[in-house]
Amino acid sequence: MKTKFTLLLFIFTLFAFAQTARVKGIILDENNQPIDGVNVTFQENKTTTNTNGFYSLTIPSNVKSNLKFSHISLKAAVVSIELKSNEDYEFNIVLKNNVEQIGEVIITNNSRKRVEGIITISPKAVRLIPGANAGVENILKTLPGVYSNNELSTQYAVRGGNYDENLVYVNEVEVYRPFLVRSGQQEGLSFTNTDLVQNIDFSAGGFQAKYGDKLSSVLDITYRRPTKFGTSLEASFLGGSMAVETASKNQKWTSITGVRYRDNALLVKSQETETNFKPRFLDVQSYITFTPNTKWQFGFLGNIAQNKYDYIPLTRQTNFGTISEPVALLVAYEGQEKDRYNTLFGAFKTTYTVNDNFNLKLITSAYHTTEQEYFDILAQYRLGEVDSNLGSDTFGDVNFSQAIGSQLTHARNDLDAVIVNTELKGFHKKNEDQIEWGIKYTRESIRDRLIEWEVIDSAGFSINPPHIEPRNEQPYNPYYGPLVPYHNVRATNYVNISRFSGYVQWNRRSKWGTNDIFTNIGVRAHEWQVSGENILGKSQITFSPRAQFAIKPDWDKDMLFRISGGLYHQPPFYRELRNADGQVVPNVKAQQSVHIVIGNDYSFKMWNRPFKLVTEAYYKSLTNVNPYTLDNVRIRYEADNNAVAYAQGLDLRLNGEFVHGTESWLSFGYLKTEENIDNRGYIARPTDQRLKFGILFQDYVPNIPTFKMYLNLVYNTGLPGGSPSYADPYDYQLRLRDYRRADLGFSYVFTDRARAKEEGHWLKKFKDLSIGLEIFNMFNNQNAITNTWVRDVYTKSQYGVPNYLTTRVFSLKLNVKL
């Protein structure tokens, strides 16, 4: 133990921190070629570019530095740069042979996000990193503490929570997902349009009181305000997108509009089920601002989305079991599924700046979704033994069927929901003190019709649900009871939920000797009541005190220590009120979590390049837990607060320039989360994914810096595999196989801002132009998302047959920006 401690101490003391900043970049000539031997100087500090044109120079912080770029055969360039302490700025320049260049760049760095434990993600990386569902969520899944084993879904679980426990804001407006989606194939597009994004902030826990009432995480996204006209285009085999941005001459009016279309047929047709499949997802999103003067600013965010999911399964064969005892499931299908999810969203935001230290914001929004889920699918299956004799003519075929049966599923589910929000927020600043407050009213109106049943036939005999008496013992004994569907849910719900919520919090920066101190203390309150047709719930209220404390010691090493947490509540949303029978239980309580996070940020230099190691340990104690089952991305709650739970873990993330001029990171997460239902003892929760490794890596070819590579790699240990309908989850604690996935992308950049072409060149009109190849699931791993439970009539046992996700897929991608 002493040896390990000495080794760790040695590693942490290798690096020293100075109050400096760094500028880096690639220097090219007018022919878009990297220049070797360019002298980059500031006073006594100097460096020289390598054969790839790359340079890196440490300069003093908080002072204006005149950088000079000079080469024996090219005109010199002088750039004035002012950077904050620890700032790491990329500056690429093209040296010309006939024009001297003089410019100025001033960078400011706010360390607030680092103090608050917020991860900031580069929008450029989001657009470049490959993934079956490329976007913000694709990057989040590489972070520690963020778990997902479904590349077809944009949903994610954070530190033991489920998909319903994550807050998502766009321009301070909370956004919502469709209600009825049950699989990642049906999801369509994420709300966030990456072509419109300016900032992406993410917190995995211990967040402040100003953020809403959820238990797990906050994703806070800001759309940008353009300053001039521009367009961008992206196209691939999976769809495409286009964005147009405009600004008036006086900059009072700005707008940015994005259109996206996606077709997941290429991905889904790589699955084991042969289908006729037409998934079509389309949305239009626009952000418009008007700034009449320095006091007022008005903004509108609008979104129209249409998701169509048409599915006709044909056949399926899944081999599972062991090498010595292989088993196969063969299914022939009849019927089809037609799903529709149409959403309208609009939000108005008004900001009034009273003075430099006081401003007010009024935010109103409305969300309307109409959803339908219609299907009639007959599945006739055979479960049999597979011929494993390599020399046999029937190798791989089913020789003997040990189970024959059929399953007929039917649904006519319709949902119409309207959610309206009005919120007033204030911000006050006096010296080092800041006070923020807000009050919000929400009205949720849901109209839901649920008609869903399932009939199971095994070897010619209908199977009743286990709670029906007398039990069906055919074919051994005659059955005289009623024949009913194995699973039958019929309900019509008209539900209204009124909510009042508010918060107040105080921030202060101060000194403790020579050490920097940050303190945040706040409290949230939430009152709600459920009502509707033949429904009347009681009024309930929660209070959620939260706090954050951080200290940055005055050490040579750049260290920051944080502790945060508090009492977090999640008042039930509509899905949490609806039980397995489709009935609404109006008095479900808010789930409650006592949450504590201890963290450390360590910034250091390695290979003369900046790196940061972020470490966080957390613990959650949950009460009033509403147990649920997880099937693909469909969550079904018991609508009862009959459990307690806990989640504990450790997250590590090392990010920096493993390759000159690019940012990459490695992440590791350990999680253990268990629940105790009805005081029967602790078992794994559906999101108990013990270990997680993630890598996001960027590189370029040394002699061809315009040819780049992006790798997105995730490894998660297996989730609990679930249980059959009506089964006791305490009897089914087996896990799915580990999730392993690597997505690889190659891109050739013809031109970008750092490689601007001369006048008359055909590429001069493009700000960015690149073409790339993407390989999804590069190693062709078989990853399972759920189990299909199949009955064996002879042994009366049930087999968990894995439902596999996508195989290896290739796609081309084109990016254009004018």
Side-chain angles (χ1 to χ4, degrees):
M1 185 68 183
K2 183 177 179 181
T3 303
K4 292 182 179 178
F5 178 80
T6 304
L7 179 61
L8 288 173
L9 184 63
F10 173 75
I11 293 173
F12 275 81
T13 53
L14 282 176
F15 312 102
F17 166 75
Q19 296 299 318
T20 57
R22 190 181 74 140
V23 61
K24 63 184 180 182
I26 296 176
I27 302 177
L28 304 172
D29 62 18
E30 292 180 293
N31 295 319
N32 203 30
Q33 297 299 313
I35 310 174
D36 183 14
V38 176
N39 295 313
V40 184
T41 60
F42 166 72
Q43 295 180 355
E44 300 299 323
N45 299 341
K46 61 183 179 180
T47 188
T48 304
T49 58
N50 60 18
T51 56
N52 300 319
F54 181 83
Y55 74 95
S56 175
L57 184 67
T58 300
I59 62 176
S61 60
N62 300 313
V63 296
K64 188 172 290 188
S65 306
N66 290 320
L67 289 181
K68 183 176 181 181
F69 303 85
S70 59
H71 190 269
I72 190 171
S73 61
L74 298 169
K75 293 292 184 180
V78 179
V79 178
S80 181
I81 293 181
E82 182 178 344
L83 304 179
K84 289 294 184 180
S85 177
N86 294 327
E87 186 67 54
D88 193 62
Y89 181 65
E90 181 177 346
F91 182 75
N92 304 314
I93 190 170
V94 176
L95 291 185
K96 302 181 180 180
N97 56 17
N98 57 357
V99 178
E100 291 189 358
Q101 302 171 74
I102 299 176
E104 179 177 88
V105 179
I106 298 177
I107 303 300
T108 60
N109 177 35
N110 189 345
S111 61
R112 175 185 62 82
K113 295 175 183 177
R114 182 186 178 194
V115 168
E116 296 175 4
I118 293 175
I119 298 174
T120 299
I121 301 172
S122 166
K124 183 179 180 181
V126 169
R127 289 188 284 269
L128 292 175
I129 300 303
N133 264 307
V136 176
E137 295 85 356
N138 181 50
I139 297 293
L140 291 184
K141 294 174 183 180
T142 65
L143 298 177
V146 182
Y147 297 84
S148 175
N149 64 336
N150 188 350
E151 65 269 11
L152 293 172
S153 170
T154 59
Q155 303 198 48
Y156 52 91
V158 178
R159 292 179 175 175
N162 66 32
Y163 306 139
D164 290 338
E165 297 179 11
N166 305 308
L167 286 162
V168 180
Y169 293 98
V170 174
N171 288 359
E172 300 184 85
V173 181
E174 186 174 357
V175 299
Y176 305 90
R177 294 179 180 271
F179 290 75
L180 295 183
V181 170
R182 66 173 66 201
S183 74
Q185 299 167 213
Q186 303 169 356
E187 266 191 32
L189 297 160
S190 164
F191 182 92
T192 306
N193 188 329
T194 56
D195 293 331
L196 281 58
V197 169
Q198 175 177 305
N199 293 320
I200 304 169
D201 296 333
F202 178 74
S203 174
F207 44 87
Q208 297 178 358
K210 67 180 179 181
Y211 295 113
D213 294 288
K214 297 283 187 179
L215 294 178
S216 293
S217 73
V218 174
L219 177 61
D220 192 3
I221 295 170
T222 303
Y223 282 175
R224 68 177 184 270
R225 294 178 57 201
T227 58
K228 58 183 179 180
F229 178 81
T231 60
S232 63
L233 174 69
E234 178 183 298
S236 74
F237 290 159
L238 296 173
S241 65
M242 183 177 68
V244 178
E245 50 190 83
T246 62
S248 62
K249 290 184 178 180
N250 58 11
Q251 297 293 310
K252 289 187 175 181
W253 286 93
T254 70
S255 72
I256 183 167
T257 301
V259 180
R260 296 180 294 173
Y261 174 78
R262 185 172 179 86
D263 186 339
N264 273 347
L266 178 67
L267 289 172
V268 180
K269 286 181 179 178
S270 70
Q271 294 178 294
E272 61 187 5
T273 302
E274 183 183 350
T275 65
N276 289 326
F277 186 62
K278 295 180 180 178
R280 291 154 293 168
F281 313 123
L282 173 70
D283 87 332
V284 180
Q285 204 164 135
S286 185
Y287 177 50
I288 302 169
T289 66
F290 173 54
T291 310
N293 51 52
T294 58
K295 292 286 187 181
W296 289 94
Q297 184 183 102
F298 303 91
F300 170 75
L301 174 64
N303 178 69
I304 302 173
Q306 183 183 74
N307 299 334
K308 294 183 178 180
Y309 176 83
D310 296 334
Y311 175 67
I312 304 176
L314 301 176
T315 61
R316 164 184 174 178
Q317 178 171 344
T318 303
N319 296 330
F320 62 104
T322 64
I323 295 177
S324 59
E325 296 183 7
V327 183
L329 173 69
L330 291 86
V331 187
Y333 294 97
E334 295 180 26
Q336 63 180 324
E337 178 173 357
K338 285 185 175 292
D339 300 333
R340 302 289 184 270
Y341 310 98
N342 298 323
T343 61
L344 297 172
F345 177 83
F348 289 93
K349 178 180 174 182
T350 303
T351 303
Y352 176 59
T353 304
V354 180
N355 53 53
D356 291 341
N357 298 317
F358 178 33
N359 65 56
L360 293 169
K361 296 178 183 178
L362 178 65
I363 303 171
T364 61
S365 66
Y367 172 82
H368 182 210
T369 179
T370 56
E371 305 174 23
Q372 75 168 44
E373 189 179 42
Y374 293 176
F375 57 80
D376 288 283
I377 296 177
L378 172 64
Q380 296 174 311
Y381 69 86
R382 289 192 297 137
L383 187 65
E385 298 177 359
V386 179
D387 185 356
S388 58
N389 185 356
L390 292 175
S392 172
D393 294 336
T394 59
F395 174 74
D397 295 339
V398 175
N399 288 337
F400 173 73
S401 295
Q402 62 191 50
I404 300 174
S406 62
Q407 177 188 49
L408 175 62
T409 56
H410 166 94
R412 294 294 183 269
N413 301 330
D414 292 280
L415 183 139
D416 188 315
V418 176
I419 303 174
V420 179
N421 295 284
T422 300
E423 183 175 16
L424 179 65
K425 303 170 72 172
F427 175 86
H428 307 262
K429 181 179 180 181
K430 185 177 182 181
N431 299 325
E432 297 298 322
D433 296 309
Q434 298 176 1
I435 296 178
E436 299 177 66
W437 56 268
I439 53 175
K440 181 179 181 181
Y441 172 72
T442 302
R443 176 75 171 183
E444 301 163 10
S445 179
I446 296 100
R447 293 159 297 282
D448 180 24
R449 185 193 69 170
L450 186 64
I451 302 175
E452 189 173 319
W453 50 259
E454 175 186 29
V455 174
I456 298 178
D457 178 282
S458 183
F461 301 99
S462 178
I463 297 176
N464 288 341
H467 61 268
I468 293 292
E469 295 292 343
R471 296 180 61 86
N472 188 342
E473 300 292 345
Q474 295 184 85
Y476 308 104
N477 298 306
Y479 177 70
Y480 300 102
L483 294 178
V484 298
Y486 184 74
H487 181 70
N488 187 18
V489 177
R490 295 175 181 267
T492 301
N493 300 312
Y494 296 90
V495 179
N496 296 311
I497 307 174
S498 296
R499 304 180 189 269
F500 287 94
S501 60
Y503 69 89
V504 60
Q505 67 178 38
W506 165 73
N507 305 320
R508 181 176 175 83
R509 292 180 180 275
S510 57
K511 287 282 189 178
W512 182 22
T514 58
N515 304 309
D516 293 323
I517 301 294
F518 173 85
T519 307
N520 172 274
I521 300 174
V523 63
R524 286 192 66 86
H526 193 124
E527 186 273 337
W528 76 98
Q529 185 173 20
V530 180
S531 61
E533 208 171 85
N534 300 318
I535 297 173
L536 183 60
K538 63 182 180 180
S539 175
Q540 301 185 61
I541 188 168
T542 61
F543 292 94
S544 302
R546 306 174 188 177
Q548 291 183 321
F549 177 80
I551 179 171
K552 189 177 186 306
D554 185 19
W555 295 348
D556 290 338
K557 298 179 180 61
D558 185 3
M559 287 276 196
L560 179 77
F561 298 92
R562 292 187 309 273
I563 182 170
S564 60
L567 186 61
Y568 292 79
H569 289 93
Q570 181 161 323
F573 205 48
Y574 174 69
R575 288 207 301 187
E576 296 161 81
L577 297 171
R578 196 177 74 178
N579 63 19
D581 295 327
Q583 304 300 320
V584 170
V585 182
N587 291 322
V588 174
K589 298 178 181 178
Q591 300 184 84
Q592 178 177 288
S593 171
V594 177
H595 192 179
I596 185 169
V597 182
I598 300 175
N600 169 255
D601 285 10
Y602 176 36
S603 298
F604 57 90
K605 294 288 182 67
M606 186 164 59
W607 308 315
N608 199 30
R609 298 195 291 271
F611 284 82
K612 180 187 289 186
L613 175 65
V614 180
T615 305
E616 288 191 338
Y618 58 89
Y619 182 81
K620 302 179 187 179
S621 176
L622 295 102
T623 54
N624 290 335
V625 172
N626 189 350
Y628 63 90
T629 59
L630 187 61
D631 183 8
N632 204 303
V633 299
R634 186 189 193 189
I635 300 175
R636 288 184 288 187
Y637 292 91
E638 290 189 15
D640 192 3
N641 305 104
N642 61 329
V644 296
Y646 72 88
Q648 61 187 26
L650 176 70
D651 290 340
L652 297 166
R653 177 173 177 255
L654 176 65
N655 70 294
E657 291 187 19
F658 293 91
V659 176
H660 274 297
T662 66
E663 182 184 16
S664 304
W665 64 68
L666 310 173
S667 63
F668 164 78
Y670 164 76
L671 164 70
K672 184 178 181 180
T673 180
E674 294 183 324
E675 62 187 0
N676 183 350
I677 304 174
D678 292 326
N679 204 28
R680 298 178 58 193
Y682 281 93
I683 59 172
R685 304 192 80 194
T687 54
D688 183 36
Q689 202 147 37
R690 292 296 173 86
L691 296 178
K692 183 259 178 68
F693 295 91
I695 296 177
L696 188 147
F697 187 73
Q698 303 183 61
D699 197 0
Y700 58 86
V701 178
N703 295 327
I704 315 175
T706 54
F707 188 64
K708 301 183 178 182
M709 183 274 287
Y710 309 95
L711 174 66
N712 182 2
L713 188 149
V714 174
Y715 169 83
N716 297 324
T717 53
L719 284 168
S723 58
S725 297
Y726 302 109
D728 186 348
Y730 279 79
D731 295 334
Y732 289 84
Q733 287 296 298
L734 297 177
R735 291 178 178 265
L736 299 170
R737 64 176 60 185
D738 295 350
Y739 181 86
R740 298 163 296 171
R741 185 174 180 88
D743 296 324
L744 182 66
F746 299 97
S747 177
Y748 183 81
V749 180
F750 291 95
T751 184
D752 59 19
R753 289 180 178 86
R755 302 170 180 83
K757 300 299 182 180
E758 68 275 5
E759 293 293 337
H761 196 283
W762 72 276
L763 289 173
K764 180 65 178 178
K765 68 180 77 172
F766 298 100
K767 293 180 181 177
D768 293 280
L769 177 62
S770 65
I771 188 169
L773 169 68
E774 294 180 322
I775 308 173
F776 305 125
N777 196 5
M778 179 173 60
F779 300 116
N780 202 26
N781 291 313
Q782 278 193 315
N783 295 312
I785 178 60
T786 55
N787 282 324
T788 294
W789 297 94
V790 178
R791 287 175 170 270
D792 179 353
V793 70
Y794 297 104
T795 64
K796 295 188 178 297
S797 60
Q798 297 195 75
Y799 290 88
V801 182
N803 295 315
Y804 294 119
L805 290 162
T806 59
T807 57
R808 184 188 296 118
V809 175
F810 295 86
S811 178
L812 292 177
K813 185 176 182 180
L814 173 69
N815 286 283
V816 179
K817 190 166 187 178
L818 300 175

